[in-house]
Amino acid sequence: MNDILVMALYAFLGAAAAGLLGAGALRLLRHRSLTASLAVIAAVAVCAMLAGTLAVAWAMFLSPHDLSVVTTVVAMAAAVSLATALLLGRWVVARSRALTLAARSFGDGGDFAAPAGPTTAELSALSRELADTSRRLAESRDRERALETSRRELVAWISHDLRTPLAGLRAMSEALEDGVAADPNRYLRQMRTEVERLNGMVGDLFELSRIHAGALVLSPSRVSVYDLVGDALAGADPLAREHGVRLVGSRVEQVPVEVDGKEMSRVLGNLLVNAIRRTPADGTVAVAAERSAAGVVLSVTDGCGGIPEEDIPRVFDTGWRGTHARTPPAGAGLGLAIVRGIVEAHRGMAAVHNVPGGCRFEVTLPMAGV
């Protein structure tokens, strides 16, 4: 029993010495190729076995012939192990280089394409992660391009819409200053109207900036959609009378929702104003509110004649007004963008689709808990 313990101790010491040397070699080669590391690992395994075997053989006082036989066997095993490690290392390095070349497409703004051929499980998992990252980056680039286009359009349209009332205010103020205004009171009323328009545009810009910055603070409370719709219809009634449009709100259920009453009134007000301005005289704008599987659906249906199918995906974009709406009173194209921002802040969804004779804007909100 003691002889076995002594041999085990000699084998452990020999293997430990080889292991320490291998650890030092790995530390020196930690920045080198994976092939070198695999070769060191194979060499450590073989040298540890050789050192342990020689130590035991020396302790057992084997004959020189027996010692040479053992050494030869271990040396052959070492040669095969090193060759296998080098081949494996070269294969793994080749697959890693192919993956590196494929990943360089990120820097060129392209899509990632995983290299063909078999590979290790770890490299396959990395390829899948890179492909998923490539997909998300492509979506992000598309969103950024769309936002940049929207910003450019918004700046151009806001500049145009600001220039018109400012030019009018300047002309009217100069007429009043020179005393050539035939009816000063009419000029003053018109100036007040233009100032109100400018104030509304600035207010919309401020609201939209709060939404985009995530600074929109909601104060939700439990209210009935019946009351929300009633207040919105009352507020929009003067504009509807001015345009000769009938407002209908007969299909409104008394369903409770948890919303910020002020912000949701703005949503309904924007939708109603947009619908009234797009509906011809003697037309009808209908408001409805009903339960659905997704929650509470508020809808505003107008008689605008419909929206071109290619324009529907952009209806809620910032600054978008359609090809037929480029002059006042169409507005700056912020109302529907504000609608979507407020609705999404309430964890809801805004949508639009065509119906016979017009289109229907729908706002889906979570139903209040009972």
Side-chain angles (χ1 to χ4, degrees):
M1 188 65 179
N2 290 334
D3 293 340
I4 295 177
L5 291 177
V6 170
M7 287 188 293
L9 178 60
Y10 276 112
F12 173 77
L13 292 176
L20 290 175
L21 292 175
L26 286 176
R27 181 175 177 81
L28 293 175
L29 299 174
R30 63 184 182 276
H31 299 302
R32 300 295 296 275
S33 172
L34 181 62
T35 304
S37 298
L38 288 175
V40 170
I41 292 173
V44 166
V46 174
C47 291
M49 182 181 64
L50 177 60
T53 302
L54 293 178
V56 171
W58 177 78
M60 294 175 62
F61 300 104
L62 294 180
S63 65
H65 177 268
D66 294 340
L67 188 59
S68 64
V69 170
V70 172
T71 304
T72 302
V73 171
V74 173
M76 293 299 101
V80 174
S81 299
L82 286 174
T84 304
L86 289 174
L87 290 175
L88 176 62
R90 289 176 62 86
W91 180 76
V92 172
V93 168
R95 303 307 303 165
S96 299
R97 287 176 178 171
L99 189 59
T100 300
L101 292 175
R104 288 179 182 174
S105 61
F106 287 137
D108 300 331
D111 295 329
F112 174 80
T119 185
T120 63
E122 291 79 9
L123 292 179
S124 296
L126 180 57
S127 295
R128 290 192 296 270
E129 289 296 326
L130 289 174
D132 187 57
T133 301
S134 174
R135 177 185 56 80
R136 292 197 298 268
L137 285 175
E139 293 174 355
S140 178
R141 286 193 296 269
D142 292 340
R143 286 194 301 268
E144 184 63 27
R145 281 193 290 265
L147 286 174
E148 185 60 29
T149 301
S150 177
R151 291 189 192 101
R152 286 197 298 267
E153 292 176 348
L154 175 61
V155 170
W157 293 344
I158 284 290
S159 300
H160 173 271
D161 290 346
L162 286 176
R163 187 181 297 112
T164 302
L166 287 175
L169 286 171
R170 180 177 181 180
M172 287 184 286
S173 64
E174 289 176 350
L176 290 173
E177 184 179 8
D178 296 338
V180 297
D183 187 355
N185 289 331
R186 184 176 68 85
Y187 275 54
L188 291 174
R189 288 193 298 270
Q190 184 63 29
M191 291 174 69
R192 174 65 180 270
T193 301
E194 296 297 336
V195 169
E196 290 295 333
R197 267 189 59 207
L198 290 173
N199 183 65
M201 293 173 63
V202 172
D204 286 345
L205 284 171
F206 178 70
E207 182 76 3
L208 195 62
S209 67
R210 287 201 305 160
I211 292 172
H212 286 173
L216 181 63
V217 180
L218 301 177
S219 300
S221 60
R222 188 184 180 93
V223 297
S224 171
V225 294
Y226 185 86
D227 296 332
L228 284 174
V229 172
D231 293 342
L233 289 174
D237 186 65
L239 181 65
R241 291 178 181 274
E242 179 184 344
H243 285 74
V245 175
R246 292 184 300 273
L247 290 179
V248 178
S250 57
R251 294 176 48 234
V252 180
E253 299 183 20
Q254 296 191 17
V255 185
V257 289
E258 289 278 348
V259 297
D260 187 311
K262 178 182 176 182
E263 298 295 341
M264 197 51 59
S265 295
R266 180 162 193 165
V267 167
L268 291 174
N270 285 358
L271 291 178
L272 283 171
V273 169
N274 184 71
I276 292 170
R277 287 177 173 171
R278 296 296 186 273
T279 301
D282 295 330
T284 300
V285 172
V287 183
E290 52 192 355
R291 305 171 190 262
S292 73
V296 180
V297 179
L298 299 172
S299 64
V300 176
T301 306
D302 59 34
C304 67
I307 302 173
E309 291 296 330
E310 64 271 14
D311 289 343
I312 286 181
R314 295 198 60 201
V315 166
F316 292 98
D317 289 353
T318 301
W320 186 87
R321 296 182 296 182
T323 56
H324 65 286
R326 286 294 183 268
T327 58
L334 305 181
L336 293 179
I338 291 174
V339 166
R340 180 175 64 177
I342 294 176
V343 171
E344 290 180 350
H346 283 86
R347 295 178 292 109
M349 181 180 63
V352 60
H353 56 268
N354 287 323
V355 296
C359 59
R360 176 180 292 125
F361 286 86
E362 294 182 349
V363 170
T364 305
L365 297 171
M367 192 177 301
V370 180

